[in-house]
Amino acid sequence: MEGPKAAKKRKITDKTIPNVILQNPDFAQDSQMYQDLLEMDRKLDWTMMRKRSEIQDALTRNPSTTRTLRLFLSHTVSGQLWQGGGDITANFETGDGIPAWQFKIEGRLLEPFNQRTRDKTPQRKFSTMIKRMIIELDRDPSLYPDGNIVEWPRAPGHHNPVLDGFTVKRTGDVPTKFRVILYLDHYPEQLKVVGELSNILGIKSESRIGAIQALWNYIKVNNLQDKTDRRMIRADDRLRPIFGGEHIFFQQLPELVNRFLTQPDPILLHYTINPAIPPPERPQAWDVEIKMEDLSLKNRMAAMVLQTKESTQVLTKMDDEIALLAQSLHNSHLKKTFLESFARDPAKFIQTWLESQSRDLETVLGSGPSEGMTVRQEELKRSEFFRLPWVEEVIFITVQVFVVAHVFYQAVAIQEGMRLAAKGMQ
């Protein structure tokens, strides 16, 4: 058989102090400071809650940033005449001594200038930042009929692992020109803004949502939203050719913007290999901008939203301590009022207290004020009523209250007398 469950202790949350203490001139300054702290605490809690909700909303949109991708193009050669002193024997079975070259393209992200060390994220591989790459070789098709176009389309799976760079190997000893075509993988996807819309908004490339937002900002700045029907957008002189009329409805804006969005232009890089001379010691480098998800900012925002268990426990403990202290002030004020009332007129205080207890007893014994009073009057006429067990307890409590009040009154009188005596001696 299970024992009775312990009653759950009610948590004290009220942190206000009695108005009597607030209005007491002796505690005016301290009370005002406490009230200011409570008001500041309420404002801080509201501000933190609002900022936390704003951060959570921003996290759902995945913040993006613009980073610099540095591309490196280089090459090496082997089996060339100048490397063997003009005397090289080619072995076509093993491939040794056959003139050849290797073309290499690599890329890495540059670190932001003001990034903190703890905000650094693992470097992304070069192959994860491009959608597609085409390398075109300008060589004589009669001498080199195949392998003049190399294409790398990104595809998920183990057969297409992530790489830091790509290498193209070919045989030959004649100068070769390269054209590298790169399609970057932006986040969010970037599109080319064409036509008159590009001139109006002043943007060449943007995401689909960004282009719609830019057009909406133009409409708001130029006050083109109809004041009567807010769904209608009026055309000005620049938008009239795009709208094809005097107005369009708000829900038509995405469709309108889509007509002026096309696939972005690829990155074009040119490079030349001359196997007859030694390759340069340093690779050639190009810097291009790429839009990508801002993981550093996202992690910082997520850390601000998620409170640690330790900080939550500390704040909860401090709130509980403040609430207990405020409750202690309430209790002390009630005790002080009780004892002062008893010290001023003990007889009247006891009479008032007995009347209050009597009314409570009448309410418990009877179903109404009149019935309770009737029961009370009938019982008081019997001597047995005053021999009940609880009468002795009431008398004991009353005497104890009187003694405590008397001791308190004497202690206050002695303390006040000592204070006046010390003041007279000064």
Side-chain angles (χ1 to χ4, degrees):
M1 181 176 178
E2 295 182 0
K5 293 184 178 180
K8 188 176 181 180
K9 187 176 180 181
R10 184 174 62 88
K11 188 176 181 179
I12 301 175
T13 57
D14 188 13
K15 293 187 280 189
T16 59
I17 57 179
N19 290 329
V20 177
I21 298 178
L22 294 176
Q23 298 171 1
N24 192 327
D26 296 336
F27 307 107
Q29 184 177 2
D30 295 336
S31 300
Q32 185 61 41
M33 292 172 61
Y34 181 73
Q35 292 296 105
D36 293 341
L37 285 175
L38 285 181
E39 182 64 23
M40 185 182 299
D41 182 61
R42 283 191 290 268
K43 290 182 179 179
L44 182 61
D45 287 342
W46 180 84
T47 303
M48 291 179 63
M49 187 179 301
R50 179 171 59 86
K51 291 296 183 182
R52 189 174 288 112
S53 63
E54 291 177 358
I55 293 174
Q56 288 175 340
D57 181 63
L59 285 174
T60 60
R61 295 193 295 270
N62 286 337
S64 61
T65 184
T66 302
R67 297 284 298 274
T68 300
L69 174 62
R70 179 160 292 177
L71 303 172
F72 299 95
L73 304 184
S74 61
H75 74 276
T76 58
V77 296
S78 62
Q80 303 298 326
L81 293 177
W82 59 270
Q83 291 179 313
D87 185 13
I88 296 180
T89 302
N91 188 336
F92 294 97
E93 294 182 359
T94 62
D96 296 336
I98 298 177
W101 47 259
Q102 295 182 0
F103 172 70
K104 185 178 293 185
I105 176 171
E106 300 171 299
R108 70 166 184 266
L109 287 173
L110 300 184
E111 295 291 343
F113 175 73
N114 56 349
Q115 186 180 31
R116 299 179 299 182
T117 303
R118 62 180 179 180
D119 294 334
K120 289 185 178 180
T121 55
Q123 279 281 359
R124 286 179 57 180
K125 299 289 187 179
F126 174 55
S127 62
T128 64
M129 292 180 280
I130 57 176
K131 292 181 180 179
R132 184 184 176 198
M133 181 178 65
I134 301 174
I135 301 177
E136 298 178 352
L137 284 65
D138 185 11
R139 299 197 298 179
D140 187 357
S142 60
L143 297 177
Y144 307 98
D146 55 355
N148 291 331
I149 296 180
V150 180
E151 185 174 357
W152 181 86
R154 193 176 73 183
H158 64 277
H159 61 280
N160 201 0
V162 294
L163 303 169
D164 285 322
F166 301 88
T167 301
V168 178
K169 299 179 180 180
R170 293 291 185 272
T171 58
D173 56 359
V174 297
T176 305
K177 293 182 180 180
F178 290 79
R179 190 173 77 144
V180 181
I181 305 173
L182 289 174
Y183 293 89
L184 298 180
D185 186 16
H186 294 280
Y187 179 86
E189 183 183 8
Q190 298 294 297
L191 299 171
K192 184 179 179 180
V193 185
V194 298
E196 193 63 27
L197 185 61
S198 175
N199 298 329
I200 294 175
L201 302 181
I203 54 178
K204 299 299 181 182
S205 65
E206 187 56 84
S207 64
R208 196 180 307 275
I209 296 178
I212 297 173
Q213 184 64 43
L215 178 58
W216 176 240
N217 291 338
Y218 177 87
I219 292 171
K220 290 194 296 183
V221 168
N222 292 276
N223 197 22
L224 299 179
Q225 191 175 16
D226 192 86
K227 293 185 169 126
T228 304
D229 187 357
R230 307 298 289 178
R231 299 173 304 166
M232 186 178 296
I233 308 299
R234 295 179 287 104
D236 59 2
D237 294 338
R238 303 184 67 185
L239 289 178
R240 194 170 289 110
I242 297 177
F243 286 2
E246 293 298 326
H247 66 272
I248 64 171
F249 288 99
F250 177 80
Q251 59 267 24
Q252 295 177 294
L253 288 180
E255 181 183 357
L256 175 69
V257 172
N258 285 339
R259 296 204 300 262
F260 295 90
L261 297 179
T262 62
Q263 290 299 318
D265 296 331
I267 304 296
L268 296 179
L269 304 177
H270 296 275
Y271 190 81
T272 301
I273 291 179
N274 187 2
I277 60 176
E281 296 181 358
R282 295 182 180 180
Q284 297 183 15
W286 285 265
D287 287 346
V288 295
E289 291 185 346
I290 180 172
K291 297 273 189 180
M292 58 189 307
E293 186 178 7
D294 194 345
L295 295 177
S296 175
L297 177 60
K298 188 175 182 179
N299 293 337
R300 292 204 306 269
M301 293 169 67
M304 293 178 64
V305 173
L306 299 176
Q307 293 183 343
T308 61
K309 184 178 179 180
E310 292 77 9
S311 62
T312 304
Q313 290 178 348
V314 171
L315 291 176
T316 303
K317 182 179 178 181
M318 293 177 66
D319 285 340
D320 293 344
E321 291 177 355
I322 294 174
L324 288 174
L325 292 174
Q327 186 65 30
S328 177
L329 282 176
H330 279 281
N331 297 337
S332 299
H333 170 67
L334 293 176
K335 291 178 183 178
K336 180 176 179 293
T337 304
F338 178 86
L339 295 175
E340 285 181 346
S341 299
F342 185 83
R344 282 193 298 269
D345 193 346
K348 181 179 179 181
F349 176 81
I350 292 176
Q351 183 64 29
T352 304
W353 183 69
L354 289 175
E355 290 176 358
S356 173
Q357 297 297 317
S358 178
R359 285 193 300 271
D360 294 341
L361 182 61
E362 290 166 3
T363 303
V364 173
L365 294 177
S367 60
S370 59
E371 294 181 7
M373 182 62 70
T374 303
V375 174
R376 175 70 172 165
Q377 294 297 333
E378 290 295 330
E379 288 184 348
L380 288 175
K381 293 178 182 179
R382 302 190 182 104
S383 60
E384 293 84 0
F385 176 79
F386 297 96
R387 296 190 181 92
L388 294 175
W390 60 268
V391 175
E392 184 178 353
E393 182 180 356
V394 170
I395 295 174
F396 176 77
I397 294 175
T398 304
V399 173
Q400 291 295 324
V401 170
F402 177 77
V403 172
V404 171
H406 183 67
V407 171
F408 173 77
Y409 181 77
Q410 286 184 341
V412 171
I414 293 172
Q415 185 177 5
E416 184 66 17
M418 294 176 64
R419 188 181 68 82
L420 294 176
K423 187 177 181 181
M425 293 177 63
Q426 293 177 357

